[in-house]
Amino acid sequence: MSDRAKTMRDRETAMSDDISTAEALREAQALFALLDRWVARGWLRALDRAFAAFLAREVPDAPAPLLLAAALASHQLGRGHVCLDLERTLAEPDLALSLPPEGDSLEDPPPRPSQLLGELTLVDWQQALTHPLVVGHGPGNTPLVLDGTRLYLRRYWQHERSIQQHIASRLDKEPCRSAIHCANGADRRPAEATHTSDPTTLATALSALFPTSDTLDWQKAACVLAARSPFAVITGGPGTGKTTTVVKLLALLQALALGDGRRPLRIRLAAPTGKAAARLNESIAGQVSSLQLDGLAPLLAAYEKDEGSNPLWEPNLLGDGSVSRLRSAIPTKVTTLHRLLGSRPDTRHFRHNARNLLPLDVLVVDEASMVDVEMMAALLDALPPRGRLVLLGDKDQLASVEAGSVLGDLCARAEGGHYTPETADWLTRATGQALPAEMLDAKGAPLDQAIAMLRHSHRFDAESGIGQLAGTVNRDAPGKEKRAAIRGVLEHGYADLSHLKLETDHDRRLERLVVSGHHEGFPHAGEGRVLKEGQPLPPPVGYRHYLQVMTAAAPQAVTDGEIDREALDDWARAVLAAHGQFQLLCALRRGPWGVEGLNERIRVALEREELIDTGDGRRLWYPGRPVLVTRNDYGLGLMNGDIGITLSLPQAMASTDGTNRGPALRVAFPAGDGSGQIQWVLPSRLQAVETVFAMTVHKSQGSEFTHTALLLPDAPNPILTRELVYTGITRARHWLTLVETGRGQLLDAVERRVMRVSGLGKV
């Protein structure tokens, strides 16, 4: 047994191995002795224990079951849940803790929650939660709120209520008679003078944006549903055309706004992270530049006619010609949600809030699955009452790292549609296409009418192993049937899919994968594939690729002391783009198959190949070190999830005094505004970064990599779920290597779902 294990066991023994679980539910002292053992074990956070201790100090007569519930409710926030469901906890007590923690191999564990709560009934627990100074049942100032069987920390109850109320108030309004009337700020003309968004008007505009089709075009349906409602959600898997749909939606809204003689809509685009913002910026820019808008010219006639006399017309805003004006009115600049709201350093508050609303008419938020409940509440608080909100995202991806699963909760019924006959009739008249009968529901909720799910992938066709595996993992099916289907996909021999089973913990094929891409694991060694555009697709690569680009493309040193900044930026962009050609993803942080163990193993492998030089690990900073920002740094303008590469700047061959100067290290980050600019940062100024040869699947959300390697650990773990596996698979753009260790955990993981506890689904 290790020294750490012995120390831990001795400490737990000193705390008394004979803690009675019955006493822990009767006496606070016995309860805190048990909580201390849970904290020492890593099953409970010290913060959670401290919260319960604070309540005990402030309210000495608080019963032990109440203090236990408070500690567990606090702990749920760290695990992504908004609240503690008492009934579910009693049914599955051991799920209330982080049990077992990653990498825990210690013996002699303390009593588990199942032993503690075995004889506690729901009625008894609810009765213990009736203390008026600690627990409330609605608005007030108690630290806890009990809503049915769900126990909240008050702040998160308020966040959830705020989201529900904001969305319900928008859905409660009648569908916009003008596609821009409820999104264009204050009334600049009487409603009667506006173009009505009746199906006929929209049908004309939609025919100019979408090709005719004999089958239901879900992109067109999503566009028209979003145009109809001041709150809308467009969800779908990778390659289903979410960005294409929203660009056409914005063109439609702007065309109707300009055709109605109004000024262009103030549209803002945002994403949760800098990486996601940069991706959306690139995608939106390409879509807008290639969008065919000539068919919308007739809708702009009124704007052309009135531009000279309309006091709202801004002649320098749009350029020449109605179509070019329309194209220029569709924004391509994307920002992060933190920058949009105006983060205030060292606080949880933002500059834009309910008292200082965002100056916009339409807000589009991409990768909405990553938005936690606190951020969504802040966003909705700052949204103008007439502002239109459109959420884009994949409902099946992992939820946010922080508490809540807002998009998943809102889209819980999206698969079945649940459109009312009224909505279906309106949609048919606008698109000329009928909804499938199985998606109609006379009792459909207002939220259902504002959600559209895109169902056809344009990126992954029937010949794509990535698409087939993602779809099979995400499909609801009996256990044996699903396992057989996944095996069938893995054994089919798809050109873009490789399944690597490591025979031992030290199997050197893992090193070959991360260094060179292990292209021999793909059919024909990855040769011969062609993109849909007709371009040949190079075989998959590993990290050697970006490190060779870093060396080969480095600007030459200069002799006059000046450095060509444009050349440096071009070099950094090339290295960052090459780094995006491959990424190893894993599920855990600790242990040999977690981020910590894999980062060290990969560093050693790359140094062995003489691709990096870390002085056998003695140097923290070295050329080629990729780093991931783990905490927002508002001073530097870097956000959690941003990735940078450490580069050695070229120096003058000799300084003015004739002495040779050593290399200067800087970390190059892509600008978080999606502009394509490069931000150079001194390593010493980065206080919250980590090496990112290996990245957790959670941190990879909002990113895509040409070749993704998804590594699953060798032992069962609660973090291994269908959502994690699906998210990891769909980070791959063209190549996927699925790496399994030990006996493999894929088939078990896909049968386990993330079940985050909240009450948001009741909007």
Side-chain angles (χ1 to χ4, degrees):
M1 182 182 294
S2 68
D3 292 341
R4 175 177 176 273
K6 291 178 180 178
T7 301
M8 184 72 74
R9 189 175 68 176
D10 293 343
R11 180 181 177 187
E12 291 181 351
T13 302
M15 291 177 184
S16 172
D17 290 319
D18 299 322
I19 294 175
S20 167
T21 55
E23 288 180 3
L25 287 179
R26 290 196 305 265
E27 300 177 4
Q29 184 176 0
L31 173 65
F32 282 111
L34 178 57
L35 296 185
D36 285 336
R37 292 194 65 187
W38 285 354
V39 171
R41 197 71 173 193
W43 295 355
L44 189 76
R45 300 179 302 176
L47 173 66
D48 309 323
R49 194 265 188 205
F51 176 60
F54 165 77
L55 295 180
R57 288 194 304 271
E58 295 297 316
V59 187
D61 63 338
L66 187 158
L67 300 175
L68 172 64
L72 294 179
S74 173
H75 188 63
Q76 301 320 297
L77 294 175
R79 305 176 67 224
H81 303 292
V82 177
C83 57
L84 173 73
D85 190 317
L86 303 178
E87 187 173 18
R88 180 182 173 189
T89 300
L90 290 175
E92 300 177 291
D94 290 340
L95 295 182
L97 295 182
S98 299
L99 195 123
E102 297 171 20
D104 182 9
S105 60
L106 303 179
E107 300 175 357
D108 188 27
R112 297 189 175 211
S114 53
Q115 298 169 258
L116 179 65
L117 299 174
E119 298 183 5
L120 185 65
T121 67
L122 178 60
V123 173
D124 290 339
W125 209 358
Q126 289 176 313
Q127 184 63 33
L129 295 172
T130 57
H131 200 298
L133 297 180
V134 182
V135 182
H137 297 275
N141 57 8
T142 57
L144 298 172
V145 178
L146 183 62
D147 185 353
T149 64
R150 298 190 304 274
L151 182 68
Y152 294 82
L153 272 66
R154 175 163 292 281
R155 180 154 59 90
Y156 286 87
W157 178 83
Q158 290 173 332
H159 290 329
E160 195 171 272
R161 288 273 293 182
S162 175
I163 294 171
Q164 289 173 325
Q165 291 170 354
H166 277 297
I167 294 177
S169 68
R170 283 176 159 76
L171 297 176
D172 198 33
K173 299 174 183 177
E174 292 185 6
C176 304
R177 289 196 300 160
S178 164
I180 50 85
H181 182 61
C182 60
N184 205 16
D187 289 335
R188 297 180 178 84
R189 289 187 181 179
E192 290 76 16
T194 66
H195 276 306
T196 58
S197 287
D198 58 24
T200 303
T201 303
L202 286 176
T204 302
L206 290 169
S207 65
L209 292 169
F210 292 91
T212 57
S213 173
D214 296 332
T215 59
L216 178 60
D217 186 338
W218 278 108
Q219 291 187 17
K220 182 189 288 189
C223 186
V224 75
L225 284 172
R228 185 178 184 235
S229 174
F231 173 81
V233 180
I234 300 175
T235 185
T240 52
K242 296 185 293 292
T243 304
T244 300
T245 302
V246 81
V247 167
K248 292 183 177 181
L249 170 64
L250 298 181
L252 172 66
L253 295 176
Q254 285 290 30
L256 292 172
L258 297 178
D260 201 36
R262 298 173 181 269
R263 68 162 173 77
L265 295 171
R266 298 168 299 174
I267 300 174
R268 297 297 302 273
L269 308 173
T273 66
K275 186 75 172 180
R279 276 194 54 220
L280 180 60
N281 183 87
E282 181 180 357
S283 179
I284 287 271
Q287 294 276 356
V288 171
S289 64
S290 61
L291 192 59
Q292 296 298 316
L293 298 173
D294 292 342
L296 293 175
L299 291 176
L300 306 175
Y303 186 77
E304 284 285 322
K305 181 178 180 181
D306 295 344
E307 64 182 21
S309 58
N310 189 343
L312 298 174
W313 179 62
E314 301 176 49
N316 296 322
L317 184 62
L318 297 175
D320 297 328
S322 60
V323 172
S324 63
R325 289 171 182 161
L326 174 58
R327 193 182 307 277
S328 299
I330 305 173
T332 57
K333 183 178 180 181
V334 186
T335 187
T336 63
L337 289 175
H338 285 85
R339 290 189 177 97
L340 175 74
L341 292 173
S343 299
R344 297 169 60 184
D346 303 321
T347 76
R348 306 177 74 98
H349 304 294
F350 298 96
R351 184 166 56 86
H352 289 290
N353 49 45
R355 294 180 298 276
N356 181 27
L357 300 176
L358 289 164
L360 55 79
D361 302 311
V362 181
L363 174 62
V364 175
V365 179
D366 193 23
E367 296 291 351
S369 63
M370 300 170 63
V371 182
D372 61 87
V373 68
E374 184 173 12
M375 174 59 79
M376 185 61 74
L379 184 65
L380 287 166
D381 277 345
L383 195 66
R386 289 181 176 270
R388 182 190 295 270
L389 176 63
V390 181
L391 301 180
L392 300 180
D394 187 344
K395 68 179 181 63
D396 297 312
Q397 280 192 42
L398 279 169
S400 58
V401 175
E402 304 297 332
S405 54
V406 178
L407 188 71
D409 290 340
L410 294 177
C411 295
R413 287 158 51 95
E415 194 80 37
H418 298 281
Y419 298 113
T420 63
E422 178 188 4
T423 298
D425 177 67
W426 191 90
L427 194 63
T428 298
R429 287 187 288 147
T431 64
Q433 299 167 333
L435 285 171
E438 61 269 19
M439 292 190 179
L440 303 185
D441 182 356
K443 297 181 179 180
L447 178 61
D448 298 327
Q449 318 313 304
I451 295 178
M453 179 176 171
L454 305 180
R455 301 161 192 268
H456 175 67
S457 177
H458 301 276
R459 181 186 307 166
F460 302 130
D461 56 22
E463 300 302 317
S464 168
I466 299 173
Q468 294 298 317
L469 184 60
T472 305
V473 164
N474 208 32
R475 188 174 304 130
D476 290 323
K480 290 184 178 180
E481 179 183 329
K482 189 168 187 174
R483 288 169 176 257
I486 289 175
R487 291 192 191 97
V489 173
L490 295 176
E491 296 168 1
H492 184 275
Y494 288 105
D496 58 352
L497 181 60
S498 172
H499 187 202
L500 176 60
K501 292 184 177 181
L502 301 181
E503 295 177 358
T504 67
D505 290 357
H506 305 289
D507 193 323
R508 294 298 293 271
R509 288 181 298 170
L510 178 61
E511 279 77 1
R512 291 204 297 274
L513 169 65
V514 296
V515 172
S516 63
H518 192 60
H519 54 270
E520 61 269 26
F522 292 87
H524 310 295
E527 297 283 354
R529 289 188 62 199
V530 178
L531 296 173
K532 290 182 179 179
E533 299 78 12
Q535 300 171 335
L537 179 65
V541 299
Y543 288 136
R544 182 195 303 275
H545 175 63
Y546 92 87
L547 292 168
Q548 288 179 334
V549 169
M550 179 185 73
T551 302
Q556 297 297 313
V558 293
T559 57
D560 57 1
E562 296 293 330
I563 298 177
D564 186 342
R565 175 60 185 267
E566 184 175 352
L568 286 178
D569 287 353
D570 288 343
W571 174 42
R573 277 189 283 268
V575 176
L576 287 165
H579 180 264
Q581 297 292 301
F582 175 77
Q583 181 65 55
L584 176 67
L585 304 181
C586 57
L588 310 178
R589 289 200 55 81
R590 291 179 291 209
W593 304 117
V595 165
E596 295 174 1
L598 289 169
N599 272 326
E600 177 61 15
R601 183 170 176 176
I602 295 168
R603 181 199 65 77
V604 171
L606 294 174
E607 189 152 30
R608 187 187 305 120
E609 296 287 329
E610 299 184 349
L611 294 169
I612 59 174
D613 181 7
T614 72
D616 291 328
R618 293 188 300 273
R619 285 195 292 273
L620 176 63
W621 291 100
Y622 49 87
R625 182 193 179 195
V627 294
L628 176 77
V629 177
T630 59
R631 188 174 65 244
N632 293 341
D633 188 326
Y634 302 108
L636 293 175
L638 297 175
M639 297 295 148
N640 188 356
D642 288 350
I643 293 178
I645 306 292
T646 310
L647 299 174
S648 178
L649 299 183
Q651 295 288 332
M653 295 302 293
S655 62
T656 53
D657 60 2
T659 60
N660 189 34
R661 297 191 295 185
L665 297 180
R666 297 292 187 275
V667 185
F669 290 91
D673 58 5
S675 63
Q677 299 300 309
I678 297 297
Q679 182 177 0
W680 297 88
V681 182
L682 278 167
S684 59
R685 297 192 64 191
L686 295 170
Q687 302 303 313
V689 295
E690 61 185 26
T691 303
V692 71
F693 291 125
M695 179 193 298
T696 64
V697 175
H698 275 91
K699 288 290 187 181
S700 74
Q701 291 186 89
S703 301
E704 284 183 349
F705 311 99
T706 303
H707 179 198
T708 297
L710 174 60
L711 185 149
L712 301 179
D714 59 353
N717 193 294
I719 203 171
L720 293 175
T721 62
R722 177 208 290 193
E723 289 82 357
L724 181 137
V725 174
Y726 171 81
T727 302
I729 291 170
T730 54
R731 299 311 89 203
R733 187 181 296 114
H734 296 305
W735 306 98
L736 172 68
T737 299
L738 178 67
V739 185
E740 290 196 87
T741 60
R743 75 173 187 86
Q745 294 299 318
L746 173 66
L747 300 180
D748 289 338
V750 298
E751 293 185 9
R752 187 184 302 117
R753 298 210 63 178
V754 172
M755 299 298 292
R756 287 200 168 178
V757 181
S758 79
L760 193 56
K762 296 184 176 182
V763 175

